[in-house]
């Protein structure tokens, strides 16, 4: 290397080595895209085959140019965005249709009521077959979907009977294992002991608490009672009659607390809060006062499920009142509880005279003593009260 006029002269490289370097910058190497972007207008780096130190700023400027992607990539990205948007819209539409079907089934089930063919005296569960063709299968499908959602969140452990009930096995429509006089309208839990009347010892704690609270509950009824003549508007809190001469005031209806009625009956509400097996978070759970006037009769009723036991605490029991469950007659007694499996066909009647006054009982829905804790939790999830 020799000094020139005020600058260093770069020693010329051999021709073949120069061509190899230029070819590498033109894209003949794995970094070909960057080389193409950095290539000069003349097809050579810097437009010449030799360069000096003064060419370094130009080389750095060209090396910092943005990388130009091939032209089809933006089109592919747009197509992918459109595809993802279409799939998202399809998924949202599917969720909407599925939710609409569930709400239709729930709406059909909400028509449950008292009287013949419905619940006996208190409450209206939010899921129930209306008797229309195909309604039973839609309701069973809704129950099965909710049960699968519960199993995904928790576990299938201990869910054998509940799973069979959701699938309709040995179901409430005359399948094997169901007595002709036991026809629960919505859910039949298989392998539960079946008896029209349940022994008091099966729910000893709750029975003793209710009976010991008899005076407080009777005082609450006196505070909300009226003449039941039917000639005056219903007082606040009282439901329209289930049948002529049958009235009720519910503190809990279909698993939902009725705040206004609970405030009117503080003693009864405190008792409900102290019960261990009250179905307070389930659409099968109801609690309140039931009034039957002389001459009134509820005939041919079956409750929605055999998973509950209905507890009757007698408050005012005049002569001539009767309760027949599964063909077995019984009668209430003031201050004492009677445990009834109301999934059996039952009849309630007040055959007394008008001077005897109404029959009044306090009704509470309790879990059947043979329903396990895991099954109760699953059924509370499946039959959760409407929000």
């Amino acid at each position: 290397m020799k000094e020139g006029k005020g600058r260093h002269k770069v020693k010329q490289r051999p021709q073949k080595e120069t061509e190899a370097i230029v070819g590498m910058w033109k894209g003949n190497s794995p970094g070909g895209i960057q080389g193409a972007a950095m290539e000069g207008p003349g097809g050579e780096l810097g437009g010449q085959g030799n360069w000096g130190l003064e060419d370094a700023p130009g080389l750095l400027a060209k090396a910092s140019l943005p990388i130009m992607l091939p032209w089809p990539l933006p089109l592919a990205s747009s197509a992918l965005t459109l595809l993802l948007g279409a799939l998202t819209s399809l998924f949202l539409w599917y969720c909407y249709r599925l939710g609409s079907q569930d709400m239709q089934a729930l709406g059909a089930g909400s028509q449950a009521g008292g009287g013949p063919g419905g619940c006996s005296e208190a409450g209206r569960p939010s899921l129930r077959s209306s008797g229309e063709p195909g309604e039973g299968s839609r309701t069973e499908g809704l129950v099965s979907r909710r049960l699968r959602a519960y199993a995904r969140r928790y576990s299938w452990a201990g869910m054998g009977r509940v799973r069979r009930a959701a699938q309709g096995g040995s179901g409430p429509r005359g399948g094997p294992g169901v007595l002709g006089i036991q026809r629960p309208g919505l859910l039949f839990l298989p392998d539960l002991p079946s008896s029209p009347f349940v022994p008091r010892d099966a729910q000893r704690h709750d029975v003793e608490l209710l009976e010991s609270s008899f005076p407080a509950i009777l005082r609450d009824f006196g505070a909300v009672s009226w003449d039941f003549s039917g000639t005056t508007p219903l007082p606040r809190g009282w439901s329209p009659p289930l049948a002529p001469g049958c009235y009720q005031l519910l503190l809990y209806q279909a698993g939902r607390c009725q705040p206004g009625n609970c405030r009117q009956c503080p003693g009864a509400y405190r008792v409900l809060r102290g019960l261990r097996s009250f179905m307070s978070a389930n659409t099968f759970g109801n609690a309140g006062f039931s009034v039957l006037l002389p001459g009134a009769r509820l005939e041919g009723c079956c409750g929605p499920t055999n998973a509950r036991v209905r507890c009757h605490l007698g408050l005012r029991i005049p002569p001539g009142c009767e309760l027949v469950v599964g063909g077995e007659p019984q009668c209430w007694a003031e201050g004492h509880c009677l445990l009834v499996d109301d999934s059996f066909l039952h009849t309630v009647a007040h055959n007394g005279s008008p001077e005897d006054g109404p029959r009044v009982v306090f009704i509470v829905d309790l879990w059947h003593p043979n329903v396990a804790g895991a099954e109760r939790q699953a059924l509370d999830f499946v039959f959760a009260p409407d929000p």
Side-chain angles (χ1 to χ4, degrees):
M1 181 183 298
K2 298 181 180 180
E3 294 184 0
K5 297 181 181 180
R7 63 174 292 179
H8 295 280
K9 184 175 181 182
V10 180
K11 183 179 180 180
Q12 296 288 336
R13 296 178 181 271
Q15 182 67 25
K16 292 183 178 181
E17 184 178 353
T18 303
E19 292 177 355
I21 294 174
V22 173
M24 181 180 65
W25 280 96
K26 286 184 177 182
N28 297 330
S29 65
I33 295 178
Q34 292 185 359
M38 296 168 64
E39 185 179 345
E44 295 177 349
L45 185 62
Q48 58 184 6
N50 55 354
W51 54 85
L53 294 177
E54 70 278 4
D55 299 314
L59 295 176
L60 292 175
K62 291 182 179 181
S64 62
L65 291 175
I67 298 175
M68 303 299 295
L69 298 176
W71 67 269
L73 189 57
L75 294 180
S77 177
S78 300
L80 182 61
T81 301
L82 292 175
L83 178 61
L84 290 176
L87 292 176
T88 302
S89 301
L90 183 62
F91 175 73
L92 294 175
W93 173 82
Y94 172 76
C95 293
Y96 169 77
R97 289 294 303 273
L98 188 64
S100 299
Q101 293 174 0
D102 286 356
M103 291 306 298
Q104 289 173 3
L106 285 170
S110 65
Q111 302 300 321
C119 299
S120 55
E121 287 187 80
R124 295 174 177 152
S126 66
L127 292 170
R128 181 177 178 271
S129 173
S130 66
E132 299 178 0
E135 180 61 35
S137 61
R138 287 201 298 271
T139 303
E140 289 174 4
L142 175 59
V143 172
S144 297
R145 285 197 297 273
R146 289 186 174 180
L147 184 60
R148 286 195 297 270
Y150 172 84
R152 284 193 298 268
R153 182 177 297 184
Y154 300 103
S155 170
W156 282 111
M159 293 296 105
R161 289 193 301 190
V162 179
R163 194 171 188 176
R164 279 186 287 158
Q167 294 171 350
S170 300
R173 297 173 183 83
V178 182
L179 301 176
I181 55 176
Q182 186 184 22
R183 298 195 299 269
L186 180 58
L187 179 76
F188 179 80
L189 199 62
D191 302 330
L192 279 183
S194 296
S195 175
F197 294 96
V198 179
R200 292 163 44 91
D201 290 344
Q203 299 287 4
R204 177 181 294 274
H205 173 272
D206 291 351
V207 166
E208 291 179 350
L209 178 59
L210 284 165
E211 291 181 349
S212 64
S213 304
F214 165 73
I217 297 175
L218 185 59
R219 280 196 303 271
D220 285 346
F221 174 74
V224 298
S225 180
W226 54 299
D227 59 5
F228 302 105
S229 62
T231 58
T232 59
L234 283 174
R236 185 182 64 176
W238 287 90
S239 303
L242 300 174
C246 181
Y247 297 90
Q248 61 183 10
L249 183 143
L250 296 177
L251 278 67
Y252 277 80
Q253 182 173 13
R256 299 185 64 182
C257 178
Q258 308 299 307
N261 294 345
C262 290
R263 283 192 293 270
Q264 294 185 79
C265 306
Y269 176 70
R270 281 194 296 270
V271 174
L272 293 176
R273 299 293 293 175
L275 299 178
R276 293 178 180 175
S277 55
F278 174 41
M279 303 177 77
S280 59
N282 194 298
T283 56
F284 295 138
N286 308 276
F289 299 100
S290 173
V291 176
L292 199 65
L293 301 184
R297 188 178 186 88
L298 290 173
E299 194 156 8
C301 307
C302 283
T305 180
N306 66 329
R308 78 180 184 187
V309 171
R310 179 154 282 189
C311 180
H312 292 202
L313 173 64
L315 298 181
R316 294 180 182 174
I317 310 299
C321 298
E322 66 175 0
L323 170 65
V324 180
V325 183
E328 300 182 17
Q330 276 284 2
C331 189
W332 302 272
E334 294 182 359
H336 295 278
C337 289
L338 192 64
L339 299 181
V340 179
D341 184 347
D342 72 331
S343 65
F344 284 85
L345 191 68
H346 59 277
T347 300
V348 182
H350 186 346
N351 301 319
S353 63
E355 293 78 17
D356 294 331
R359 181 233 60 177
V360 182
V361 295
F362 186 69
I363 294 180
V364 184
D365 289 328
L366 308 175
W367 283 103
H368 191 289
N370 292 95
V371 178
E375 294 172 326
R376 296 181 185 186
Q377 182 177 342
L379 291 176
D380 278 344
F381 182 90
V382 173
F383 295 99
D386 296 335

